[in-house]
Amino acid sequence: MGSAGAEGKMRSRTEEPEVRWWQRGAIYQIYPRSFADSNGDGIGDLRGVTDRLDYLKDGSPDSLGVEAIWLSPFYPSPMADFGYDISDYTGVDPVFGTLNDFDELLAEAHRREIRVVVDWVPNHTSDRHPWFLESREGVDSAKRDWYVWRDARPDGGPPNNWTSSFAAVGSAWTLDEDTGQYYLHSFTSQQPDLNWDNPEVEAAMHDTLRFWLDRGVDGFRMDVINRIAKDPELADNPSSPEPGEPREIHHDQDWPSIHERLRGIRAVLDEYDDRMMVGEVHVYDLGRLVEYIASGDQLHLVHNFVFMYLPWDAAAMRASVDEFEALSGGRAWPAWFLSNHDHSRVVSRFGGGKLGEARARVAAMLLYTLRGTPFIYQGEELGLPDAPIPPDAVVDVDGRDPERAPVPWEPPSRAGPAAGFSTGEPWLPLSPEAERLNAASQSGDSDSLLSLVRRLAWLRRGDQCLQRGEQRSLDAGPGVFAYLRELHGTRMLVLLNFSEQQCRPSTTALPESGLLQASTHRGRDGNPSQLSLSDLVLGPNEGLLLRV
Ligand code: NOJ
């Protein structure tokens, strides 16, 4: 089936939607190298994704019921940063397949009403991209100014004190011996930064968006989008915050020009109907973060790293969620995530082992019931921990291999050592826990995290209140994060016990009773019943969802 037909059908059904597709349910991140390998070379690919779409949505409660997938980069790349170093914005790397494979994936996803969001990496290209090859030819190259080139300081050192985001790289500048100038790279030296102050660059990058929009993609996840606006003076970053400085200044990102640049990008998306842009924005001041989404003509969604970095602490989570809600004042739609391909997985980060697994269940309830869009990273629904990577198997420059280990689909005892991910040698070792933590085993186990996530997704899918109801935090005592969702008189109560002790939530702020919708605890879930909240005891690490 061609993608255009499926897409047209899907869009007409959602004309003037009350809730946009990117608000309704979860957006599921696929890291293609590690999702499913269709050709046995040990590396996941686009056909592998297409083969597994039913797992993500097949119209029944026995699938994850995702609204959309976000595909990490699959474009031609020398893979210095595993695809975040792009040498052609309009193709598919042979390791992942072909453009035809992409079109087929898009059509098959649309047939299941799964939107497709692709990664867009606008801050930098690969050093093998033809633009950079031309740029580095000489100081007079027509594309010299497409990148950020500067003379050395008088002592021969780099032009300023900016450093790469990767600690192992050090300075963000590399000297090009042939032309005697330094070029800027916010990541590895194989990822030169584009110069967005040059309007030709902006126009060329807008065209790369149109290429994928024309093919029918539904949106973009915009890689380190805060970095496409830098101080044109390239002033040094302060080595430590200035006393009394109202906000932390970074000259290499989040410059005020970001907002005009985002408006320009949004205008390109708005040439098409019902598309979405979500930004990866490393800005740790929620007020400034909200400015990226609140005006209605910039990003639709923003990845909130303040939230992602919070410790496992009910009061901290509540404070951060409340602060975001207060700052957005109803103008901005939140997005919530707790893991991706760059960060330690939820189970490992929040305690590891049985404790981490118990908390991962609470985290799933949190993500699906907060007002806002949940982002789920492949394997999060299985409670995968970070995989141990032996020193001789390390491939990433920044220590991110553990969270990128391939997805186990079946028990290795049945499907072989690659657990159904591949018939070959996987590019990274799988979790040693694959025998227990695989999709097939968890599908057949109603107590599994996968089954809980499916239930939460299904509940949210059928419930306007969870999708778009107002949200208000409640005082329920120490260790408990409690909030009410409310829409036209329908109310849902969420009680999340972040502590390892049983607790009686304090009831003054709570309704008298509620009808159980879901619990993270195996004994309680599956027995819908009216619970009195005055004598309710929450189990250790228990989350409850009630209609009240
Ligand atoms: C953020 C991406 O998520 C990460 O994987 C990548 O290394 C950097 N941006 C550079 O593109």
Side-chain angles (χ1 to χ4, degrees), residues 81 84 124 166 187 221 223-224 280 341-342 400 404:
D81 191 14
Y84 284 94
H124 45 269
F166 299 146
F187 296 89
R221 175 269 189 180
D223 189 70
V224 290
E280 183 201 22
H341 63 294
D342 294 330
R400 298 166 295 181
R404 297 176 177 180

Side-chain angles (χ1 to χ4, degrees), residues 159-462:
N160 68 20
N161 72 353
W162 296 359
T163 51
S164 159
S165 283
F166 299 146
V169 173
S171 171
W173 296 93
T174 288
L175 180 64
D176 177 53
E177 302 281 352
D178 292 345
T179 60
Q181 284 192 312
Y182 281 86
Y183 66 88
L184 177 69
H185 51 86
S186 297
F187 296 89
T188 69
S189 60
Q190 294 104 308
Q191 293 165 289
D193 280 32
L194 284 161
N195 175 18
W196 272 76
D197 290 332
N198 182 330
E200 289 177 14
V201 168
E202 188 166 22
M205 288 307 292
H206 285 180
D207 282 344
T208 65
L209 291 169
R210 291 192 184 92
F211 176 85
W212 294 102
L213 289 164
D214 287 339
R215 284 201 111 73
V217 306
D218 300 281
F220 299 93
R221 175 269 189 180
M222 304 194 161
D223 189 70
V224 290
I225 193 75
N226 51 306
R227 284 192 177 266
I228 66 167
K230 303 175 171 76
D231 175 4
E233 304 289 326
L234 305 187
D236 277 350
N237 277 330
S239 42
S240 56
E242 298 287 322
E245 194 72 75
R247 58 189 220 179
E248 205 185 342
I249 304 277
H250 293 283
H251 292 265
D252 56 353
Q253 55 188 287
D254 187 34
W255 209 246
S257 49
I258 186 65
H259 300 293
E260 271 322 296
R261 292 210 175 134
L262 288 175
R263 288 191 175 95
I265 294 165
R266 175 63 177 267
V268 175
L269 265 77
D270 287 348
E271 293 166 13
Y272 301 76
D273 70 338
D274 209 15
R275 312 299 164 106
M276 183 277 291
M277 53 200 253
V278 52
E280 183 201 22
V281 179
H282 289 273
V283 164
Y284 300 99
D285 171 324
L286 288 181
R288 266 157 64 212
L289 193 66
V290 165
E291 286 173 30
Y292 279 66
I293 48 176
S295 64
D297 58 359
Q298 301 182 58
L299 294 169
H300 297 88
L301 299 174
V302 76
H303 281 156
N304 175 347
F305 284 88
V306 175
F307 179 76
M308 201 220 68
Y309 281 122
L310 290 173
W312 190 255
D313 179 283
M317 293 259 176
R318 173 184 176 169
S320 194
V321 167
D322 286 354
E323 187 185 352
F324 191 94
E325 285 280 307
L327 287 165
S328 68
R331 296 167 300 142
W333 183 259
W336 306 107
F337 78 105
L338 289 169
S339 62
N340 69 23
H341 63 294
D342 294 330
H343 299 280
S344 180
R345 285 182 171 277
V346 167
V347 167
S348 303
R349 195 149 46 91
F350 292 132
K354 293 290 160 217
L355 177 62
E357 289 185 14
R359 288 176 168 174
R361 298 173 74 90
V362 179
M365 185 171 278
L366 172 73
L367 292 175
Y368 275 91
T369 57
L370 280 174
R371 190 184 89 94
T373 303
F375 278 75
I376 305 291
Y377 173 47
Q378 66 183 36
E380 191 173 346
E381 76 282 12
L382 302 174
L384 283 187
D386 295 339
I389 308 292
D392 62 354
V394 168
V395 287
D396 180 51
V397 59
D398 201 35
R400 298 166 295 181
D401 298 324
E403 56 265 27
R404 297 176 177 180
V407 171
W409 291 97
E410 291 168 65
S413 58
R414 195 164 81 205
F421 162 71
S422 173
T423 53
E425 173 81 19
W427 73 288
L428 278 175
L430 275 81
S431 165
E433 308 217 47
E435 188 66 25
R436 184 171 63 92
L437 300 178
N438 64 78
S441 303
Q442 292 200 34
S443 278
D445 172 6
S446 61
D447 286 341
S448 67
L449 176 57
L450 176 60
S451 295
L452 173 67
V453 173
R454 287 173 172 173
R455 276 201 294 285
L456 289 168
W458 197 252
L459 275 165
R460 180 173 167 131
R461 196 171 162 72

